[in-house]
Amino acid sequence: MQAACVLSPEARELPLPEACSQARDRPAEVDARTHVLLTNPIAPTILRLAIPNATVMIVQILIGLLEIYFVSRAGVEALAGVAPVFPLVSLVVAIAQGAIGGGFVTTVARALGTGRAADASDYVWYAVVLGVPLGLATTAVMLVSGPALYSHMGVSGNALEIAVSYSFTIFVGATLIWLFNLLMAVVRGTGNLQVPVIVVCGGALILVPLSPALIFGAFGYPGLGPSGGAVAMLVYYALGTLAYAAWLWGRFGILKPSFRLPKLSLAPALAILRVGGMSSVVSATTNLTLAIVTAYVAMGGVEALAGYGAGSRLEFLLVPLAYGIGGPAGIVISANLGAGQIDRAVSASWIGVLMAGALTELIGLAAAVFPEAWIGVFSHDPSVLQIGAEYLHRVGPFFGFFGIGYALYCVGQATRRMEASVLAALLRAAIAVLGGLVVVWLKADVTWNFVAVALGMVAFGLFALPPLINRAGYE
């Protein structure tokens, strides 16, 4: 195994072999947590980080689902009003957490791998400086375009009023959503995934009773209606942001951010935005592909739509599982690239990709063999069970390619080579569009759309592989 290579500013101007040779003459200035990333066995390290990382993502998904459940208790119009807003909130969270946030995770880990803890600490302020304007921009866009957007989505009457009210409330606090996720990303970049688990799960314990209380009222106070759920979500993000700020500026971890805004430069911010911007394409096309296929399957009637919806919910859960492994793999890769341990970074990439692929393939094969066990959770209607089972039979065996593709997306964030993952994601969406058009043109059964879904997953996994095979980005 290669020894850690911690480079000084002067050494970083030299060719890597010569710089590493000089660096080995002095002790590596890395903290104990980063030392684990640089020296411990790779697979157990990724697995140890994957459990809390996946827990954070799954809990955040469950929080969103619980929010919808509480709002649904207020009536059909309330549910119809919140339904079109929820995917947009989820998209903002996905971009802030996994896309732009992923840029922060890998950048902080790489800086710590080089022993530059002071530079890594500055990224706490970069998170604030980027999070505030991105949050304000999100607020402005949604306040201006929200009402017309929901109207074009077919929402009308009282449901439209509820949608506009809920949207206004949640997106007024968009800055809190951005700060929460970007500060969490900085903490995750240090390899500390226990703090995010505590913050997210602790916040969930507060949110679960608070949300229905604000929606329906409690202790003699009237409820706010569906918008009360949005207020509860903002309380969750505000408390979480304060918790991360207290941890970071309280200097409880390796990062020691200054209490005054330091002198920041444009280049690091642009580098993060470049990785985050390309990552956003992957996140957006994942949701877009599901939406496209849903539209095509809906042509087959309510039963077809319900069956596909039940099956695709399992596909939706692949994201936190794949990112649960891919995210920690990206942390290990970034730290080792920073330390000049190229071979170890490549090994971590392959191990992370294979682990994510194996986990998602195992789930897909189990679902293909026992489809009723999953579809039956949502419906016992024979038509729904038949179509849902058909989806899992055709697509389940290819779930592993989705896991591979998503892990490679995380690897691309670490190596700062996102082009192949973006191409693979766009190709997957294109296959869904063209495949659906062929099905419509041939007037074939809507379940043939599932073949396009499977082919799209294969493309997503395979077309992102060349950079890893060629070791692009590991220089």
Side-chain angles (χ1 to χ4, degrees):
M1 182 183 67
Q2 280 180 284
C5 172
V6 182
L7 306 182
S8 66
E10 296 79 8
R12 286 195 295 275
E13 301 300 324
L14 300 173
L16 185 60
E18 183 180 348
C20 287
S21 177
Q22 291 186 11
R24 293 190 190 105
D25 294 334
R26 61 180 183 280
E29 299 173 359
V30 296
D31 62 286
R33 195 180 297 276
T34 304
H35 183 73
V36 169
L37 302 178
L38 300 178
T39 59
N40 280 23
I42 295 172
T45 300
I46 293 176
L47 184 60
R48 180 178 60 82
L49 295 174
I51 294 173
N53 192 52
T55 299
V56 167
M57 295 200 67
I58 291 172
V59 170
Q60 288 197 299
I61 289 174
L62 291 177
I63 286 173
L65 295 176
L66 277 173
E67 177 73 5
I68 290 181
Y69 171 78
F70 291 139
V71 170
S72 71
R73 300 300 92 186
V76 175
E77 286 189 329
L79 181 59
V82 172
V85 184
F86 180 70
L88 298 176
V89 176
S90 298
L91 180 59
V92 172
V93 171
I95 293 174
Q97 182 185 95
I100 306 297
F104 274 100
V105 170
T106 54
T107 301
V108 170
R110 185 180 288 232
L112 290 175
T114 66
R116 296 181 292 117
D119 290 346
S121 298
D122 285 344
Y123 284 104
V124 178
W125 279 106
Y126 279 104
V128 175
V129 169
L130 288 178
V132 171
L134 287 172
L136 293 176
T138 302
T139 298
V141 169
M142 292 311 303
L143 292 187
V144 171
S145 63
L149 177 62
Y150 304 132
S151 180
H152 285 304
M153 294 172 71
V155 185
S156 60
N158 190 40
L160 179 58
E161 292 182 10
I162 292 172
V164 172
S165 175
Y166 187 92
S167 177
F168 175 85
T169 304
I170 192 69
F171 285 115
V172 159
T175 298
L176 292 173
I177 298 176
W178 278 95
L179 289 176
F180 175 94
N181 285 289
L182 294 189
L183 290 177
M184 178 170 67
V186 173
V187 175
R188 289 172 56 226
T190 67
N192 187 335
L193 299 179
Q194 289 73 33
V195 168
V197 168
I198 294 171
V199 172
V200 170
C201 292
L205 292 176
I206 296 173
L207 183 64
V208 169
L210 180 63
S211 187
L214 291 177
I215 293 172
F216 304 108
F219 306 109
Y221 291 95
L224 301 175
S227 294
V231 174
M233 289 294 289
L234 291 182
V235 171
Y236 163 80
Y237 284 118
L239 293 177
T241 300
L242 289 175
Y244 288 128
W247 173 268
L248 290 165
W249 274 281
R251 302 188 173 188
F252 292 101
I254 182 60
L255 302 182
K256 312 293 181 186
S258 61
F259 294 102
R260 291 186 178 182
L261 180 65
K263 184 179 180 181
L264 305 178
S265 57
L266 187 60
L270 291 177
I272 291 172
L273 290 175
R274 177 183 175 277
V275 172
M278 299 183 75
S279 300
S280 298
V281 175
V282 179
S283 297
T285 53
T286 299
N287 293 328
L288 177 63
T289 302
L290 288 172
I292 291 170
V293 177
T294 299
Y296 284 133
V297 174
M299 296 179 184
V302 175
E303 291 81 5
L305 183 59
Y308 169 71
S312 64
R313 281 185 176 89
L314 184 59
E315 180 184 336
F316 183 73
L317 289 177
L318 296 181
V319 174
L321 295 176
Y323 190 75
I325 294 174
I331 295 172
V332 176
I333 296 163
S334 298
N336 282 278
L337 286 176
Q341 300 188 159
I342 307 302
D343 290 342
R344 182 175 167 87
V346 173
S347 297
S349 302
W350 280 111
I351 290 171
V353 167
L354 293 175
M355 288 175 67
L359 175 61
T360 51
E361 180 65 14
L362 182 62
I363 293 171
L365 291 177
V369 175
F370 306 105
E372 293 81 6
W374 175 259
I375 306 299
V377 173
F378 303 96
S379 175
H380 294 288
D381 182 280
S383 297
V384 173
L385 287 171
Q386 179 185 353
I387 294 173
E390 188 69 26
Y391 169 83
L392 293 177
H393 283 317
R394 296 190 181 187
V395 182
F398 299 94
F399 276 7
F401 287 97
F402 180 88
I404 290 172
Y406 217 85
L408 287 167
Y409 154 72
C410 298
V411 171
Q413 289 182 326
T415 60
R416 301 173 183 172
R417 295 293 180 91
M418 295 294 302
E419 295 83 1
S421 289
V422 170
L423 173 63
L426 292 174
L427 183 60
R428 182 189 177 206
I431 290 173
V433 173
L434 296 177
L437 288 175
V438 170
V439 172
V440 172
W441 180 62
L442 294 176
K443 298 181 180 179
D445 189 273
V446 293
T447 57
W448 281 98
N449 282 284
F450 304 156
V451 175
V453 173
L455 291 175
M457 286 188 175
V458 174
F460 184 52
L462 295 183
F463 277 79
L465 264 176
L468 177 55
I469 295 174
N470 299 328
R471 295 169 64 107
Y474 294 90
E475 301 86 3

